[in-house]
Amino acid sequence: MTTLQRSLRLRDAVAIGVASMLGAGVFAAFGPAASSAGEALLVALVLAGLVAFANATSSAQLAAQFPTAGGTYVYGREQVGPWTGFVAGWGFVVGKTASCAAMALTVASYALPADWVRPGAVAVVWLLVGTNLLGITRTARAAMLLAGLALAAITAAIVHGWGARGGGAAVWGPPTDAGWYGVLQAAGLLFFAFAGYARIATLGEEVERPRRTIPRAITLALALVLVVYAVVGVTLLSVLGAPRLAGATQPLLLLVDGSPVLGAIVVVGAVAAASGALLSLLAGISRTGLAMAREGDLPLALAAIHPSRRVPHRLDLALGAVLTVVVLVLDLRGAIGFSSFGVLVYYLVANVSAARQASPHRLYPRALQWLGIVLCLVLLATLPPVAVAGGLLVIGLGVGVRALRLRHGRRDRLGRPTTRSQDGGDRLP
């Protein structure tokens, strides 16, 4: 078996996209973002949403032309070149691995005492890796259930916050002492919360009627989540105020402070949301890794597909092993910043690739893609310096390893020597 099975319908794809975005971001990213932007948090949210919209339309347009596993890794290779595709794919795999760590830590921090957070995060990772190994339709059903639980908890927290605590704090005002740099930095952190819509494109090889379904699913999922995030942002600012929100690691719990029942509901919702995002992320990373392994940018042994479950089982298991190490050493804020860097690089390549598409394949104005390019570059430049330095280092290491491999050659899975092709890939001599 070398191909995946097309079994995802529109509602399945939308569920995976919504579950991807209603994850650790809505329960954890608003605090760090408020610390950077202050009362200008909603400006940062609008900027993050604008970047997400530009990137989502680029992903939808590209997925309609290239409905295969791998997402922007494939688009970059096809539209720009193998090196560009590699940078996008490597940035996605590394950045989203950090996202997985952040979401696993979020699940454990809501559900377990502090001393058990990291071991609990490891257990969550392997539980969801096991779910993905059962097949993509099981993943979609689980994502739908978890997204529903998350929405119910968010709704309960918002209703209680307005009803019992009331609003009154400023929801719109000047930024912190960091000024507009802080607003842009907050937008970069909040973008982490929006980035799940690309999971639909990454799973393009498993979607029915992909040229019609993928663009519709991406835009529908993003629109739904934009509304939810706007309501959550306004509520948190009005009820808690920017100073208190800035220091909160679990802001939605503060909305129901004093109600044990609602507090338990929010905890269940946070666990469900982050678990749903983690579940779909694991699937997205393994499909991008599958595309990279097929092209030789990851070990060819990882390109195997399970004969009955039709999933890249070796990649799923390898990803679980890597995440076990990552969640034991990475903190939540560091994971969010590092993830944002890798994902912004990924979408920068997506926008460049979409801007190069010919007229027969275009669904949106080219100006929208150029807007996405500019905004991705701006947000990259304003991320925390540690996140930028770490991201550049890891991408540089990946580029260096690929360059060495291409320079010295390698052998294929049968042990035959390969040589470099003109496009920078490998071929048999």
Side-chain angles (χ1 to χ4, degrees):
M1 295 281 183
T2 58
T3 59
L4 301 170
Q5 185 176 9
R6 296 197 181 277
S7 54
L8 295 178
R9 292 173 290 179
L10 176 62
R11 68 177 185 182
D12 300 320
V14 171
I16 288 175
V18 171
S20 299
M21 288 181 274
L22 286 181
V26 70
F27 288 90
F30 279 96
S35 179
S36 296
E39 292 176 358
L41 176 66
L42 292 183
V43 178
L45 183 63
V46 170
L47 286 174
L50 183 60
V51 178
F53 176 74
N55 294 344
T57 54
S58 291
S59 295
Q61 182 172 288
L62 288 159
Q65 183 179 355
F66 304 106
T68 186
T72 300
Y73 170 73
V74 174
Y75 313 150
R77 284 184 64 90
E78 295 293 333
Q79 294 296 109
V80 185
W83 276 106
T84 303
F86 174 80
V87 169
W90 184 244
F92 179 85
V93 168
V94 172
K96 285 304 183 182
T97 299
S99 290
C100 287
M103 290 171 191
L105 289 168
T106 298
V107 171
S109 67
Y110 270 88
L112 298 170
D115 292 341
W116 289 91
V117 166
R118 293 189 187 276
V122 172
V124 168
V125 165
W126 283 106
L127 175 64
L128 296 180
V129 165
T131 302
N132 274 331
L133 287 171
L134 296 175
I136 192 62
T137 54
R138 302 287 181 87
T139 298
R141 290 169 191 164
M144 197 177 300
L145 172 63
L146 293 169
L149 290 173
L151 283 170
I154 292 169
T155 301
I158 289 172
V159 170
H160 184 270
W162 284 105
R165 302 175 62 87
V171 299
W172 193 272
T176 61
D177 293 339
W180 289 105
Y181 178 86
V183 173
L184 292 172
Q185 188 177 84
L189 294 171
L190 287 170
F191 180 74
F192 159 82
F194 283 106
Y197 50 80
R199 218 70 61 248
I200 302 167
T202 305
L203 302 175
E205 197 171 311
E206 294 160 280
V207 176
E208 295 179 354
R209 297 189 298 171
R211 287 177 175 81
R212 172 179 171 83
T213 301
I214 294 175
R216 292 177 65 195
I218 288 176
T219 51
L220 279 172
L222 180 59
L224 288 170
V225 173
L226 276 169
V227 172
V228 173
Y229 278 14
V231 174
V232 170
V234 170
T235 301
L236 290 173
L237 283 171
S238 181
V239 175
L240 302 180
R244 190 179 181 195
L245 176 59
T249 57
Q250 300 174 338
L252 288 181
L253 273 181
L254 295 179
L255 291 178
V256 297
D257 188 23
S259 174
V261 173
L262 287 176
I265 291 174
V266 170
V267 168
V268 170
V271 169
S275 297
L278 177 55
L279 181 68
S280 59
L281 261 182
L282 291 169
I285 295 172
S286 66
R287 272 58 176 185
T288 299
L290 174 65
M292 296 180 74
R294 285 170 171 172
E295 297 292 343
D297 283 332
L298 288 178
L300 287 171
L302 296 177
I305 295 175
H306 194 277
S308 59
R309 299 296 183 185
R310 304 292 292 273
V311 295
H313 56 292
R314 292 181 184 174
L315 269 161
D316 284 328
L317 293 171
L319 181 58
V322 170
L323 274 170
T324 298
V325 176
V326 174
V327 297
L328 294 175
V329 300
L330 203 63
D331 67 272
L332 182 59
R333 185 183 175 93
I336 291 175
F338 185 77
S339 170
S340 293
F341 180 88
V343 175
L344 282 166
V345 169
Y346 178 84
Y347 287 116
L348 175 62
V349 173
N351 284 309
V352 171
S353 301
R356 293 170 64 94
Q357 283 182 282
S359 296
H361 302 292
R362 302 196 61 79
L363 301 176
Y364 304 96
R366 187 173 273 109
L368 194 56
Q369 285 110 53
W370 279 105
L371 176 64
I373 291 170
V374 171
L375 291 176
C376 282
L377 288 171
V378 170
L379 295 187
L380 276 169
T382 54
L383 283 173
V386 173
V388 174
L392 288 173
L393 176 63
V394 172
I395 287 180
L397 287 173
V399 168
V401 169
R402 185 176 195 265
L404 287 173
R405 181 181 60 79
L406 293 177
R407 180 177 179 179
H408 296 293
R410 62 173 179 81
R411 292 181 178 272
D412 72 351
R413 69 181 69 189
L414 299 179
R416 298 173 295 184
T418 60
T419 59
R420 293 177 63 188
S421 62
Q422 291 183 351
D423 70 353
D426 296 320
R427 60 176 173 81
L428 293 174

